[in-house]
Amino acid sequence: MHDDNHQEDGHQDEWSLETLAIRAGHQRTFEQEHSEPIFPTSSFVYESAAEAARKFGGQEPGNVYSRFTNPTVHTFERRLAALEVGERCVATSSGMSAILSTALALLSAGDEIVASRSLFGSTVSLFDKYLGKFGITTRYVELSNAAAWEAAITPKTRLLFAETPSNPLSEIADIPALAALAKRHDALLAIDNCFLTPALQQPLALGADLVIHSATKYLDGQGRAIGGAVVGSHALLEEVFGVVRTCGPCLSPFNAWIFTKGLETLSLRMKAHCENALILARWLDAHPAVNRVFYSGLEDHPQHALAKQQQKGFGAVLGFEVKGGQEGAWQVIDATRMLSITGNLGDVKTTITHPATTTHGRLSDDQKAAAGIAPGLIRVAVGLESQEDIQRDLARGLDALAAS
């Protein structure tokens, strides 16, 4: 077990992220398997009633029930915690359930959240419609406006929440500054890191208290499964674990195994995604049908320097606004033959969507305007196909739009 158990014996600092992504978290069974096994079982058997009592009561470590203790899920949790430089990870059934579990664990009626306006539409709905129903208030501010964050905080603020880069405008939050602000006001900072992953950004190392993931995205990398995760300190994650244990938004062993195997190629994939995205962003920026490109890897992005400072790459998601509003955007999308028209991202296959009517479609017109979701905005999550093929597919609609 010398190479797969180092995260448990305190020596994981010896290894690079690329190595941890391949080897961390796996505790070999008596079968001495090389690849991580799947344990598709609902329950576990004990040698005696006394052993069962000790494990159910927490006096002895071991598996109890796969809703909250499953070896395959634990492997994924240990590996992701190692990559995010966190003490502990709790896996969940989806990225949204990771956010919900965090809120249920750490917030109470009367508490307040300060969040970026540039959030995934379902996150806004969760905060406003469902957490709001139970007396938790959310205030939204411009992601990059430090003064706005500070002005929105009250004595009841318990959580600051941000996605960085934002979806789909690629705005960047100054994570160390937000972390310092949260600490001054006795609040927690949670960063949704699913766009960059720990291969490109480690929010905990920058001062955040919690990292949220939709493992569905780049941690898997091939669009195969739904899952989520929360990473942070033992103390905070014990509360999140309690929610998963009691309320049941747990990750299946099979999906956990898929994510664990996805992590093995994470660094290679993210590097290739970033290279493809930057080439495409520059090509789009020069196209006459494109009014503006939103990608922090472009030198004229207002937070390009900040992105370079706290990220190892700029990610693969970019937005661009085309001529002709929604009609023009739909024309470009419908002209594609190879790109996948879908709201998902994080796949080796390039995906394209119209945020105003899909991912952010449930927001009001005022909320869309505040978040910068214009009718002519298109989001592309750049995959790993040939760059020439991606450009040729987009050019069908863009060239026709430019000529109209």
Side-chain angles (χ1 to χ4, degrees):
M1 292 199 199
H2 68 289
D3 58 354
D4 296 305
N5 206 28
H6 55 75
Q7 79 291 340
E8 294 293 289
D9 63 17
H11 298 301
Q12 71 179 38
D13 289 345
E14 296 178 23
W15 312 107
S16 68
L17 183 140
E18 291 80 4
T19 300
L20 292 173
I22 293 171
R23 293 191 173 271
H26 179 199
Q27 296 177 324
R28 290 196 183 115
T29 73
F30 64 91
E31 299 288 359
Q32 291 295 292
E33 72 282 345
H34 191 214
S35 182
E36 300 82 359
I38 308 175
F39 289 88
T41 181
S42 58
S43 61
F44 302 87
V45 177
Y46 310 103
E47 294 293 330
S48 66
E51 181 192 359
R54 291 193 301 272
K55 288 184 176 175
F56 269 75
Q59 289 84 33
E60 182 178 314
N63 300 307
V64 176
Y65 189 55
S66 276
R67 186 176 73 243
F68 57 97
T69 52
N70 179 275
T72 312
V73 176
H74 287 333
T75 297
F76 168 64
E77 290 173 332
R78 288 191 294 263
R79 184 166 296 182
L80 184 57
L83 298 186
E84 286 286 9
V85 199
E87 292 179 353
R88 186 176 180 182
C89 170
V90 172
T92 63
S93 58
S94 68
M96 290 309 304
S97 67
I99 300 172
L100 174 62
S101 298
T102 299
L104 291 177
L106 303 175
L107 301 175
S108 302
D111 288 346
E112 295 179 355
I113 302 169
V114 178
S116 162
R117 284 197 187 97
S118 307
L119 291 181
F120 178 45
S122 292
T123 305
V124 175
S125 296
L126 171 62
F127 287 173
D128 290 349
K129 183 175 181 180
Y130 295 104
L131 296 186
K133 183 188 297 187
F134 296 101
I136 296 170
T137 302
T138 303
R139 291 184 172 85
Y140 297 96
V141 298
E142 185 181 345
L143 179 64
S144 58
N145 188 336
W149 282 93
E150 181 130 32
I153 293 175
T154 77
K156 295 181 179 180
T157 301
R158 294 290 176 267
L159 179 67
L160 308 187
F161 190 96
E163 297 173 13
T164 181
S166 71
N167 176 18
L169 301 182
S170 197
E171 298 168 290
I172 307 296
D174 187 330
I175 296 176
L178 284 182
L181 179 63
K183 188 173 183 180
R184 285 202 306 273
H185 291 276
D186 198 26
L188 299 171
L189 173 62
I191 296 293
D192 186 323
N193 197 33
C194 79
F195 271 35
L196 291 185
T197 80
L200 302 179
Q201 176 174 265
Q202 294 172 316
L204 297 179
L206 295 170
D209 299 289
L210 296 160
V211 171
I212 306 288
H213 276 285
S214 172
T216 313
K217 310 302 190 293
Y218 293 103
L219 300 190
D220 171 18
Q222 295 185 49
R224 298 168 294 188
I226 301 290
V230 188
V231 186
S233 68
H234 283 300
L236 292 176
L237 269 294
E238 183 62 25
E239 296 299 317
V240 178
F241 171 72
V243 171
V244 173
R245 174 174 182 156
T246 303
C247 302
C250 54
L251 182 64
S252 77
F254 183 72
N255 287 8
W257 180 82
I258 286 177
F259 297 143
T260 299
K261 303 309 288 183
L263 290 176
E264 293 180 349
T265 60
L266 180 63
S267 293
L268 289 172
R269 285 188 287 106
M270 295 311 295
K271 180 180 179 181
H273 277 297
C274 290
E275 290 172 353
N276 248 7
L278 183 57
I279 293 170
L280 184 65
R282 288 173 173 159
W283 178 80
L284 287 167
D285 201 35
H287 199 286
V290 176
N291 294 332
R292 185 178 177 188
V293 177
F294 301 90
Y295 186 65
S296 63
L298 295 177
E299 288 76 6
D300 61 356
H301 186 282
Q303 296 160 301
H304 177 70
L306 176 61
K308 287 182 66 176
Q309 180 179 323
Q310 67 183 24
Q311 301 169 192
K312 297 177 183 176
F314 303 107
V317 180
L318 57 86
F320 62 100
E321 195 173 328
V322 299
K323 295 168 50 179
Q326 178 174 311
E327 183 180 350
W330 282 19
Q331 177 181 324
V332 172
I333 292 169
D334 291 347
T336 60
R337 299 177 190 172
M338 182 268 287
L339 272 59
S340 302
I341 304 174
T342 177
N344 196 33
L345 57 93
D347 203 305
V348 293
K349 301 179 178 75
T350 298
T351 66
I352 187 168
T353 194
H354 182 245
T357 53
T358 59
T359 57
H360 294 69
R362 287 184 291 172
L363 301 183
S364 69
D365 289 342
D366 288 344
Q367 286 175 316
K368 289 176 188 175
I373 308 300
L377 183 68
I378 295 171
R379 188 192 74 190
V380 170
V382 186
L384 302 185
E385 305 96 340
S386 159
Q387 180 61 223
E388 291 76 13
D389 290 340
I390 297 172
Q391 291 179 17
R392 186 165 60 251
D393 209 30
L394 284 169
R396 299 181 216 279
L398 288 174
D399 290 351
L401 189 61
S404 63

